[in-house]
């Protein structure tokens, strides 16, 4: 014991103080601060998504249009790989040594402990030969994946395709999609994404610091099972869909068939089409790129996106409006000399005296030009703009210029000219019925989608109303009866006025323009149309419904560059109607084969590229001109977007060239 | 017990022995729990840390008993040879082919069979022993410059050799012996200065402009001088201290900017909260804090710690063993361990003060200081208030050299203490 005895207390106090400091810090991080326990959970907890199988899509009779097929990914966990016969393995996978090394490097770089894909999407057959031998190569594993397959390779534009989600999709999904997820991009796949997708399940697992799964979290208490997407029964009838695609082979155009009594879409052909299986699997990217470059634009969903002047198929509409307004009766007749008032429009031949039914049957331009003139001048020639607005309203009721609201994305509205457009073109009060006479026969500025044309036939078949066209019959076991699909949309024409028009349409097929497309034993009512095409041969159009009593199918067929309606569109429609109603085709097959084998594909360089180039050149010129104008301080003339008339595309640059 | 003086275990401080055994047991269970995987291999499997630790324990405990059987005078006599031998080993370990480099430290001598010896651990024992031997000599007073310098030399020589490995952690342990010198009469200014140095070190690195610190120091000095202007001695001391402090600030600044290696700077920066690099250098400490913090009050339970079980915490059975304690036994368990250590060091101080022999007293303070320093630095490191310096937690951390060293340290003290009456008869 020496004089510094008291220092023991100083030392002890220092020890106690510092230990208390440690205790305080421990108290803070263990009791007060919650962040650490959250981070600890986050460290080890990995919610792993369990992807559900996407729902299959069936046709109306339960035949599979799309389903899932198993493919195999070969994955590798580099740390678990033991020395093996690389050459043999390469041979098995059909790759060379350098490719093998490259992929293996990549896998190691990603993580030596985690599995990374080595070979993607081997088909079941290709995998069968590898499967038995995979155990010889430790560290390599097979993971099954489910991909879309289309057993009949049909209805590509209708069904659409799926693809990986884009950043945009992720941003708009409120957390429902993560990178790498699949989403419907077009068609039914997009429209019914929520139904088909199913519910993603979550499996909570515990991982170690190398991210290797160690155990399930809390014995799976918080796990949720993946629920497969629901089976979607579409309204499509695969029999006529396939027949339609066969008949439209090597032709540009579309077929839309609707069941008038329900509004269900029976056929939805867009030609040229593509094999939907091309949009699946390893070659998807290449195939898609090829198709994007295809001048015939196979991705265009022609039934709802292509616009055509309806041509003569529009005539019954004018007749119905005139009948409803009491301007004509079924007995009203005009004399045709072969041309309306000796000028335009012409008829192919002088039709002589015709009443309404005969005029429809022979598609007399003179008759309908006269009817249209009456319609337009009912309030006097000077008041044509108000009369036109009234007429336009009536036509619009048939959904011309409007979207029908089909349950497919990206539907077009067609084009219905307005009085304002004519005021601009001709000057206010400087246009008369003569100026817009081409509307009488479905030409001029008027444009409609094939779906709209088919819908008009539904309306006629139903004597004055239509159901909103849709493509869904049932989801899972539940039949879909949405109110909007069962509600009648009236077009403002009384039922009694349809009979004379339908009489005429029956004559079209029996004695008129489409008499060669008669179906034995079935009364089909139709109307041919020939849409003028400034770029080549006219488009062949035929609209119809059948049978006359209790109609089962309404159809619109457009064959681009097919010439007159009776040449291609009418026979194609008749075959589809026959097939749908009788399940066979009884007529001679040589005619069928002639239609089927006909190659009406236009010259791509002229037909499509030209239009695109002209449009592009046009816009460049416009931009240049605009900038020039801006420089000179002259106010830019309002250049309203072209109304879509293809004539205009070609005409404007020519005019500009003259000015330069 | 008719003749208690004859019994070898007479007068042994059983409380310390009990704490020792408690800490060793806690240590083994936590090493077992921290082992990667679930420990299916059986507790005697020598390829695992817990299996090996069992072997070390079965060596260390008998060594402790043997020490109790030794003659006290024998230990006193051996202090110089032991110092010489450990110094030799410290030199030997620096020779490239004999010493083994693990984790950047040339600190191990391979013994074969997967076992290695870490001489720096034993240097702590030998240094304390020699220091006690020297300072307990007649007419040796720390207050005299010559004695002070020799005592400092005894401490500094092994420090220098260990610094060459370079093992910063073990080097710093020797600085704890300032408590011994203080107890033996060293001026309290040294302690105050050390405390000031630590504070200034932190402030200098945290405060961008060191002129603020110097200004503040000068202001504090001015206030003290103004208040105690009568006390000439205090005023002069304060002024000298001020000069030293200012010099220290400048030298820290200089050291930090020009001498320290970038990775050392990063470690210091992370502890001081200047930078946070949670993926890189800060990963260990961050994960360790997460482990301890997630233990909450009662912990996750034995073998249930996800941070340690799934190897998020590095070196989890050695330097970061306290993570397992904190995570699996929570705040309650941490307090038990911390309490045991505090109780042990206070107990040792008590033992020290009941000695008649200055040798035992000095030795006891040495043991207390070293254990205390290890505990504070190790636990402080796992909870992020001390830079990551790799030193083990006494009795708990996995490692044979460390366990054996601390066992020897403690049991030699217990032996000397059990003879505290014997000095009279000697």
């Amino acid at each position: 014991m020496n004089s510094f005895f008291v220092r023991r207390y100083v030392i002890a106090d220092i020890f106690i103080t510092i230990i208390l400091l440690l205790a305080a810090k421990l108290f803070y991080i263990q009791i007060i601060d919650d962040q650490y326990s959250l981070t600890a959970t986050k460290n080890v907890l990995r919610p792993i998504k369990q992807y559900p199988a996407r729902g299959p899509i069936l046709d109306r009779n339960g035949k599979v249009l799309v389903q899932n097929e198993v493919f195999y990914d070969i994955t590798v966990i580099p740390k678990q790989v033991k020395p093996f016969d690389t050459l043999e393995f390469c041979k098995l996978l059909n790759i060379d040594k350098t490719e093998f090394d490259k992929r293996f490097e990549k896998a190691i770089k990603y993580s030596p402990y985690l599995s990374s894909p080595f070979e993607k999407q081997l088909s079941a057959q290709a995998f069968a030969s590898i499967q038995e031998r995979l155990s010889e190569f430790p560290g390599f594993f097979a993971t099954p994946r489910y991909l879309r397959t289309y057993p009949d390779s049909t209805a590509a534009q209708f069904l659409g395709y799926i693809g990986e989600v884009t950043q945009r999709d992720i941003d708009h999904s409120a957390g429902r999609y993560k990178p790498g997820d699949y989403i419907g991009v077009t068609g039914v796949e997009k429209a019914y994404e929520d139904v088909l997708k199913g519910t993603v399940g979550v499996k909570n697992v515990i991982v170690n610091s190398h991210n290797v799964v160690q155990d399930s979290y809390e014995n799976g208490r918080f796990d949720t099972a993946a629920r497969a997407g629901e089976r979607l029964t579409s309204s499509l009838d695969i029999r006529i869909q396939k027949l339609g695609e066969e008949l439209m082979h090597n032709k540009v155009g579309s077929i839309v068939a609707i069941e008038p009594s329900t509004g269900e879409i029976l056929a939805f052909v867009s030609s040229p089409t593509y094999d939907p299986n091309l949009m699946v699997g390893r070659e998807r990217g290449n195939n898609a790129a090829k198709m994007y470059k295809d001048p015939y634009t196979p991705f265009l969903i022609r039934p709802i996106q292509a616009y055509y002047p309806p041509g003569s198929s529009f005539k019954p509409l004018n007749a119905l409006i005139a009948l409803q307004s009491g301007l004509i009766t079924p007995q009203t007749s005009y004399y045709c000399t072969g041309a309306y008032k000796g000028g335009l429009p012409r008829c192919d031949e002088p039709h002589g005296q015709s009443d309404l039914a005969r005029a429809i049957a022979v598609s007399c331009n003179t008759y309908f030009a006269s009817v249209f003139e009456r319609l337009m001048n009912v309030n006097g020639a000077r008041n044509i703009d108000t009369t036109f607005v009234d007429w336009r309203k009536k036509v619009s009721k048939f959904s011309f210029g409007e979207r029908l609201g089909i349950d497919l994305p990206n539907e077009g509205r067609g084009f219905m000219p307005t009085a304002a457009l004519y005021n601009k073109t001709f000057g206010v009060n400087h246009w008369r019925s003569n100026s817009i006479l081409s509307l009488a026969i479905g030409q001029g500025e008027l444009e409609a989608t094939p779906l709209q044309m088919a819908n008009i036939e539904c309306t006629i078949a139903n004597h004055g109303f239509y159901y909103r066209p849709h493509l869904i019959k049932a989801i899972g076991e539940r039949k879909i009866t949405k109110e909007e699909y069962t509600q009648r949309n009236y077009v403002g024409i009384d039922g009694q006025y349809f009979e004379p028009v339908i009489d005429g349409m029956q004559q079209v097929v029996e004695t008129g323009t489409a008499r060669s497309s008669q179906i034995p034993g079935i009364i089909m009512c139709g109307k041919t149309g020939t849409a003028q095409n400034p770029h080549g041969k006219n488009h062949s159009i035929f609209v119809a419904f059948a049978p006359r009593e209790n109609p089962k199918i309404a159809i619109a067929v457009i064959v681009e560059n097919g010439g007159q309606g009776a040449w291609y569109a009418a026979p194609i429609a008749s075959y589809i109607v026959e097939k749908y109603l009788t399940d066979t085709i009884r007529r001679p097959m040589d005619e069928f084969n002639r239609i089927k084998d006909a190659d009406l594909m236009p010259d791509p360089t002229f037909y499509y590229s030209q239009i695109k180039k002209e449009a592009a050149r046009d816009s460049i010129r416009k931009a240049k001109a605009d900038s020039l104008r801006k420089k000179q301080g002259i106010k830019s003339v309002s250049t309203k977007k072209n109304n879509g008339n293809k004539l205009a595309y070609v005409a404007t640059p020519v005019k500009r060239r003259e000015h330069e | 017990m008719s003749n208690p003086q004859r019994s070898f275990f007479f007068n042994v401080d059983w409380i310390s022995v009990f704490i020792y055994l408690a800490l060793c047991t806690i240590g083994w269970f936590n090493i077992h729990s921290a082992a990667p995987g679930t420990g299916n291999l059986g507790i005697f499997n020598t390829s695992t840390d817990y299996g090996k630790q069992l072997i070390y324990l079965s060596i260390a405990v008998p060594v402790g008993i043997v020490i109790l059987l030794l003659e006290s005078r024998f230990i006193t006599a051996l202090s110089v040879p032991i110092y010489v031998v450990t110094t030799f080993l410290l030199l030997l370990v620096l020779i490239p082919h004999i010493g083994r480099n693990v984790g950047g430290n040339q600190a191990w001598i391979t013994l074969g069979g997967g076992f290695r010896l870490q001489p720096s651990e034993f240097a702590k024992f030998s240094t304390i022993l020699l220091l006690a031997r020297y300072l307990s000599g007649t007419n040796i007073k720390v207050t005299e410059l010559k004695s002070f310098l020799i005592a400092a030399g005894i401490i500094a020589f092994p420090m220098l050799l260990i610094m060459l490995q370079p093992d910063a952690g073990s080097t710093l342990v020797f600085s704890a012996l300032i408590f011994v010198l203080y107890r033996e009469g060293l001026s309290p200014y040294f302690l105050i200065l050390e405390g000031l140095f630590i504070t200034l070190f932190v402030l200098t690195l945290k405060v961008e402009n060191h002129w603020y610190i110097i200004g503040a120091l000068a202001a504090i000095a001015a206030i003290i001088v103004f208040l105690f202007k009568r006390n000439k001695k205090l005023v002069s001391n304060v002024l000298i201290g001020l000069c030293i402090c200012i010099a220290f600030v400048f030298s820290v600044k200089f050291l930090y900017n020009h001498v320290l290696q970038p990775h050392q700077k990063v470690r210091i920066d992370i502890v001081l909260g200047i930078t946070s690099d949670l993926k890189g250098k800060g990963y260990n400490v961050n994960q360790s804090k997460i482990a301890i913090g997630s233990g909450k009050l009662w912990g996750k339970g034995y073998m249930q710690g996800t941070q340690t079980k799934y190897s998020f915490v590095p070196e989890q059975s050695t330097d970061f063993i306290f993570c397992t304690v904190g995570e699996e036994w929570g705040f309650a368990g941490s307090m038990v361990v911390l309490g045991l250590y505090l109780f042990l060091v206070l107990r040792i101080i008590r033992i020290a003060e009941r000695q008649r022999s200055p040798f035992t007293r000095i030795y006891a303070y040495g043991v207390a200081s070293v254990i205390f320093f290890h505990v504070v630095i190790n636990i402080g490191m796992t909870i992020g208030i001390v830079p990551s310096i790799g030193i083990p937690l006494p009795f708990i951390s996995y490692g044979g050299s460390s366990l054996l060293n601390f066992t020897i340290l403690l049991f030699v003290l217990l032996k000397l203490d059990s003879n505290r009456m014997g000095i009279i008869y000697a």
Side-chain angles (χ1 to χ4, degrees):
Chain A
M1 244 176 264
N2 58 21
S3 52
F4 299 111
F5 177 74
V6 286
R7 288 192 174 183
R8 66 175 289 194
Y9 299 113
V10 177
I11 292 172
D13 286 349
I14 291 173
F15 284 7
I16 292 168
T17 313
I18 293 177
I19 294 283
L20 283 179
L21 276 175
L22 289 181
K25 174 79 179 183
L26 277 167
F27 183 78
Y28 179 76
I29 69 170
Q30 290 187 301
I31 308 288
I32 294 178
D33 199 338
D34 264 346
Q35 122 194 20
Y36 295 108
S37 60
L38 295 178
T39 317
T41 315
K42 215 161 63 190
N43 259 343
V44 291
L45 189 62
R46 291 284 178 284
I48 295 177
K49 280 189 164 189
Q50 307 287 303
Y51 286 96
R54 208 174 162 82
I57 304 175
L58 311 180
D59 94 329
R60 64 190 294 114
N61 300 315
K63 226 177 154 284
V64 173
L65 297 173
V66 195
Q67 62 187 13
N68 302 309
E69 194 181 312
V70 65
F71 283 78
Y72 293 90
D73 282 0
I74 303 291
T75 54
V76 61
I77 301 178
K79 270 268 169 181
Q80 297 182 12
V81 173
K82 303 208 172 82
F84 62 96
D85 189 345
T86 324
L87 225 61
E88 189 64 32
F89 187 72
C90 289
K91 221 162 71 190
L92 216 55
L93 284 183
N94 207 8
I95 55 174
D96 58 14
K97 182 78 171 63
T98 48
E99 178 67 22
F100 176 89
D101 291 338
K102 212 175 83 194
R103 292 185 192 180
F104 201 72
E105 276 301 300
K106 207 177 146 197
I108 291 172
K109 217 173 143 196
Y110 171 64
S111 163
Y113 298 96
L114 297 185
S115 86
S116 32
F118 194 78
E119 176 83 353
K120 277 184 179 174
Q121 296 176 8
L122 288 167
S123 71
Q125 298 109 295
F127 177 65
S129 58
I130 300 168
Q131 189 174 20
E132 309 168 358
R133 304 205 46 198
L134 203 60
S135 60
E136 295 169 30
F137 308 102
F140 288 92
F141 305 92
T143 320
R145 277 175 76 97
Y146 293 91
L147 295 177
R148 294 304 239 182
T149 54
Y150 306 79
D152 284 289
S153 300
T154 188
Q157 292 86 355
F158 174 81
L159 296 169
Y161 52 86
I162 57 172
E164 270 190 35
V165 286
T166 61
Q167 193 54 47
R168 230 182 96 85
D169 296 327
I170 296 168
D171 295 343
H172 287 254
S173 72
R176 282 168 57 238
Y177 292 95
K178 294 263 149 53
D181 284 3
Y182 282 90
I183 190 172
V185 179
T186 61
V188 181
E189 297 274 22
K190 182 175 182 185
Y192 288 96
E193 167 71 14
D194 292 341
V195 176
L196 296 168
K197 182 180 177 244
T199 318
V200 178
V202 177
K203 197 174 164 201
N204 295 293
V205 296
I206 286 177
V207 298
N208 68 5
S209 58
H210 297 299
N211 256 335
V212 182
V213 174
Q214 304 284 307
D215 208 347
S216 79
Y217 180 68
E218 303 248 314
N219 287 325
R221 202 145 61 85
F222 301 104
D223 295 0
T224 54
R227 241 193 18 247
E230 289 200 85
R231 180 162 47 95
L232 190 141
T233 308
S234 73
S235 60
L236 217 63
D237 187 320
I238 197 170
R239 294 171 305 151
I240 60 170
Q241 176 72 23
K242 280 180 81 174
L243 178 71
E245 283 179 14
E246 193 184 350
L247 286 164
M248 291 300 283
H249 183 62
N250 276 334
K251 299 167 194 69
V252 179
S254 34
I255 302 174
V256 177
I258 307 177
E259 188 175 59
S261 57
T262 57
E264 286 172 8
I265 292 176
L266 302 170
F268 194 90
V269 178
S270 180
S271 185
T273 184
Y274 61 92
D275 181 350
N277 287 310
L278 293 177
M279 291 300 285
V280 176
R282 292 199 283 175
E283 289 298 309
R284 179 185 199 264
N286 290 340
N287 291 333
K290 218 180 285 169
M291 284 190 278
Y292 273 118
K293 282 187 207 139
D294 190 330
Y296 296 115
T297 58
F299 282 140
L300 188 67
I301 309 168
R302 287 185 165 77
I304 55 170
Q305 290 178 340
Y307 295 178
Y308 302 96
S312 303
S313 70
F314 187 69
K315 285 172 183 168
L317 225 77
N318 267 336
L320 286 168
I321 291 168
L323 284 167
Q324 175 73 32
S325 20
L327 292 177
I328 60 165
T329 66
Q331 288 73 41
T332 308
S333 67
Y334 289 97
Y335 188 82
C336 166
T337 59
Y340 172 66
K341 291 186 178 170
L344 284 170
R346 281 183 227 283
C347 288
D348 294 338
E349 48 175 337
H351 292 118
Q353 196 74 28
S354 319
D355 62 1
L356 174 60
R358 184 169 183 271
I360 291 173
V362 298
S363 196
C364 179
N365 288 346
T366 308
Y367 186 96
F368 284 96
S370 308
V371 171
F372 189 70
E373 195 194 350
R374 267 202 186 187
L375 272 170
M376 288 298 121
N377 291 333
V378 65
N379 299 321
R382 293 183 138 271
N383 296 321
I384 186 157
D385 47 353
T386 53
T387 318
F388 176 80
V389 168
D390 187 44
W391 174 82
R392 186 181 185 278
K393 217 178 276 170
K394 287 172 179 163
V395 176
S396 298
K397 282 233 155 196
F398 286 83
S399 83
F400 266 93
E402 308 284 339
R403 290 195 184 99
L404 276 163
I406 187 179
D407 42 351
L408 276 180
N410 308 325
E411 186 194 353
R413 32 170 109 238
F415 185 75
M416 183 71 198
T418 59
L421 175 72
Y422 293 125
N423 280 338
K424 223 182 84 190
T425 319
F426 302 110
V428 178
N429 243 330
H430 278 78
W431 51 289
R432 295 288 176 263
S433 65
N434 264 354
S435 328
I436 57 171
L437 204 55
S438 48
L439 293 178
I441 55 168
Q443 299 285 352
E445 294 80 2
L446 194 65
E447 285 187 328
T449 65
L451 180 72
Q452 286 169 330
M453 296 186 207
N455 190 55
I456 286 169
E457 296 318 298
C458 283
T459 313
I460 296 174
N462 288 336
H463 289 68
F465 65 87
Y466 66 88
Y467 296 101
R468 183 191 281 193
H470 55 276
L471 50 83
I472 184 146
K473 267 184 89 71
I475 291 172
E477 296 301 321
R478 287 166 286 137
K479 204 173 143 25
I480 293 300
T481 45
K482 270 198 204 165
E483 201 191 331
E484 56 192 90
Y485 295 150
T486 55
Q487 185 184 313
R488 291 179 174 190
N489 299 289
Y490 286 93
V491 296
I493 310 283
D494 295 341
Q496 76 219 49
Y497 297 120
F498 283 90
E499 279 306 320
V501 172
I502 293 173
D503 282 341
M505 288 174 69
Q506 186 179 341
Q507 284 180 37
V508 167
V509 181
E510 283 174 357
T511 59
T513 46
R515 57 190 172 273
S516 57
S517 301
Q518 267 189 75
I519 311 164
I522 293 167
I523 299 173
M524 177 164 75
C525 307
K527 181 73 197 82
T528 54
T530 308
Q532 285 171 4
N533 171 16
H535 307 291
K537 278 176 76 182
N538 289 343
H539 300 326
S540 173
I541 296 176
F542 188 72
V543 293
F545 63 89
R548 178 167 175 165
E549 300 306 323
N550 197 9
K552 291 269 181 278
I553 179 170
I555 188 167
V557 178
I558 292 94
V559 182
E560 289 187 23
N561 312 300
Q564 294 196 1
W567 294 356
Y568 287 99
I572 288 173
S574 73
Y575 288 126
I576 287 173
V577 168
E578 186 178 5
K579 177 85 179 173
Y580 182 67
L581 295 177
T582 67
D583 203 20
T584 50
I585 294 170
R586 271 180 244 278
R587 284 174 286 165
M589 284 318 276
D590 50 344
E591 171 66 8
F592 178 87
N593 289 333
R594 181 190 73 80
I595 303 281
K596 191 186 79 174
D597 297 337
D599 185 349
L600 299 177
M601 296 304 269
D603 175 13
T605 47
F606 174 75
Y607 193 71
Y608 285 93
S609 319
Q610 180 108 0
I611 293 169
K612 282 182 191 158
K613 272 183 210 153
E614 292 283 2
R617 206 179 301 158
D618 206 28
S619 68
I620 292 167
R621 285 226 180 86
K622 198 168 143 281
K624 275 187 189 164
D626 278 349
S627 65
L628 207 67
R629 266 190 225 111
K630 262 180 213 157
K631 265 184 210 160
Q632 293 168 346
I634 299 167
K635 208 184 157 201
S636 170
V637 179
S638 134
T639 44
K640 201 185 166 186
K641 198 179 173 328
N642 198 292
N643 63 30
N645 191 334
K646 282 168 189 160
L647 249 174
Y649 281 133
V650 180
T652 30
V654 174
K655 267 187 216 158
R656 291 248 169 97
R657 232 169 270 141
E658 286 167 2
H659 289 306
E660 277 165 9
Chain B
M1 299 289 272
S2 58
N3 189 355
Q5 277 80 5
R6 294 292 163 107
S7 167
F8 290 116
F9 299 120
F10 176 70
N11 263 344
V12 168
D13 189 63
W14 292 109
I15 294 174
S16 303
V17 175
F18 171 76
I19 296 173
Y20 165 79
L21 290 174
L23 288 171
C24 286
T25 313
I26 289 171
W28 186 83
F29 276 105
N30 281 298
I31 292 164
H32 183 231
S33 181
T38 44
N40 296 328
L41 293 168
I43 56 166
F44 297 110
N45 190 309
T46 52
S47 69
T48 59
D49 284 356
Y50 48 87
K52 282 187 188 166
Q53 185 74 359
L54 214 55
I55 294 173
Y56 299 147
L57 280 168
S58 59
I59 295 169
V61 174
V63 164
I65 294 167
V66 167
I67 289 169
L68 292 180
L69 299 177
L70 291 175
E71 194 61 40
S72 290
R73 278 172 298 183
F74 185 57
I75 295 167
T76 328
L78 275 179
S79 52
V80 176
I82 290 175
Y83 191 82
V84 172
V85 168
T86 46
T87 307
F88 173 72
L89 287 174
L90 283 176
L91 286 167
L92 199 66
V93 84
L94 292 174
I95 299 167
H97 291 288
I98 298 169
R100 261 201 66 193
N101 192 324
V102 177
N105 296 341
Q106 182 91 7
W108 281 272
I109 293 173
T110 310
L111 295 179
F115 297 98
R116 324 181 277 238
L117 190 74
Q118 198 177 357
S120 53
E121 288 296 335
F122 299 103
K124 291 165 197 167
F125 168 63
S126 61
T127 306
I128 295 169
L129 210 56
L130 189 66
L131 189 67
R133 174 76 193 269
Y134 174 72
L135 289 180
S136 61
T138 42
N139 290 328
I140 301 293
K141 284 205 177 74
V142 185
T143 40
E144 285 166 16
L145 187 64
K146 190 186 159 208
S147 308
F148 172 70
L149 286 179
I150 290 173
I154 290 169
I155 300 169
F157 185 54
M159 277 176 94
L160 185 77
L161 290 177
I162 295 167
M163 193 125 65
L164 289 174
Q165 292 181 357
D167 183 349
S170 298
T171 310
L172 286 172
V173 169
F174 291 87
S175 67
L177 296 176
I178 192 161
F179 286 116
V180 179
L181 300 181
Y182 168 72
R183 172 62 187 83
E184 292 309 308
L186 190 67
S187 163
Y189 286 117
F190 281 93
L191 261 193
I192 296 168
L193 215 55
E194 190 168 300
L196 260 177
F197 278 180
I198 293 168
T199 319
L200 286 175
F201 177 79
V202 173
L203 284 177
T204 310
L205 297 181
K206 279 208 114 165
V207 179
E208 290 272 319
N209 192 343
H210 54 278
W211 290 107
Y212 288 132
I213 301 166
I214 290 164
L217 281 172
I220 292 165
I223 290 165
I224 296 171
V225 168
F226 178 75
L227 289 176
F228 303 96
K229 50 189 166 207
R230 298 282 167 91
N231 189 337
K232 287 262 167 65
K233 199 183 166 209
L234 184 75
V235 168
S236 66
N237 279 340
V238 165
L239 290 179
I240 292 166
L242 179 67
C243 293
I244 295 172
C245 284
I246 291 171
F248 180 76
V249 168
F250 279 110
S251 50
V252 165
K253 206 78 189 166
F254 177 80
L255 270 171
Y256 181 79
N257 287 338
H258 302 287
V259 177
L260 282 188
Q261 303 285 321
H263 73 270
Q264 290 166 324
K265 278 192 197 179
V266 168
R267 281 183 189 178
I268 293 168
D269 286 355
I270 285 163
V271 169
L272 299 182
I274 294 168
T275 57
S276 62
D277 173 21
L278 300 183
K279 287 265 159 14
K281 298 276 181 201
Y283 175 85
N284 292 5
V285 170
N286 183 48
Q287 291 297 339
S288 145
K289 276 166 86 176
I290 291 169
I292 295 169
S294 66
K296 312 246 75 171
L297 181 58
W298 298 112
K300 298 175 184 169
Y302 183 53
M303 304 279 271
Q304 300 299 312
T306 53
Q307 283 288 104
T308 41
K309 194 165 157 192
Y310 302 120
S311 46
F312 285 91
V313 180
E315 298 164 45
Q316 47 194 335
S317 57
T318 56
D319 294 347
F320 282 90
I321 190 69
F322 191 73
C323 295
T324 317
V325 178
E327 188 179 19
E328 298 190 346
W329 305 103
F331 181 67
S334 307
M335 284 307 105
V336 168
V337 170
L338 215 51
L340 283 173
Y341 281 122
L342 184 60
F343 191 76
L344 182 66
V345 290
L346 294 180
R347 181 82 199 164
I348 294 172
I349 290 176
R350 194 185 143 86
I351 291 169
E353 295 298 344
R354 72 185 179 199
Q355 304 304 320
R356 295 184 180 182
S357 135
F359 176 86
T360 313
R361 183 182 66 233
I362 295 164
Y363 178 79
Y365 269 102
V367 174
S369 310
V370 165
I371 291 176
F372 174 76
F373 188 85
H374 268 265
V375 170
V376 170
I377 297 295
N378 182 285
I379 296 179
M381 164 185 82
T382 60
I383 57 180
I385 56 177
V386 170
S388 334
I389 297 165
I391 58 172
L393 194 57
F395 314 116
I396 290 187
S397 278
Y398 164 77
S401 298
S402 154
L403 180 67
L404 205 56
N405 167 56
F406 282 111
T407 306
I408 293 169
L409 268 181
L410 186 67
F411 278 82
V412 165
L413 172 67
L414 295 181
K415 176 67 210 170
L416 295 171
D417 175 53
S418 71
N419 259 12
R420 60 186 178 269
M421 306 302 175
I423 192 86
I424 295 167
Y425 316 122

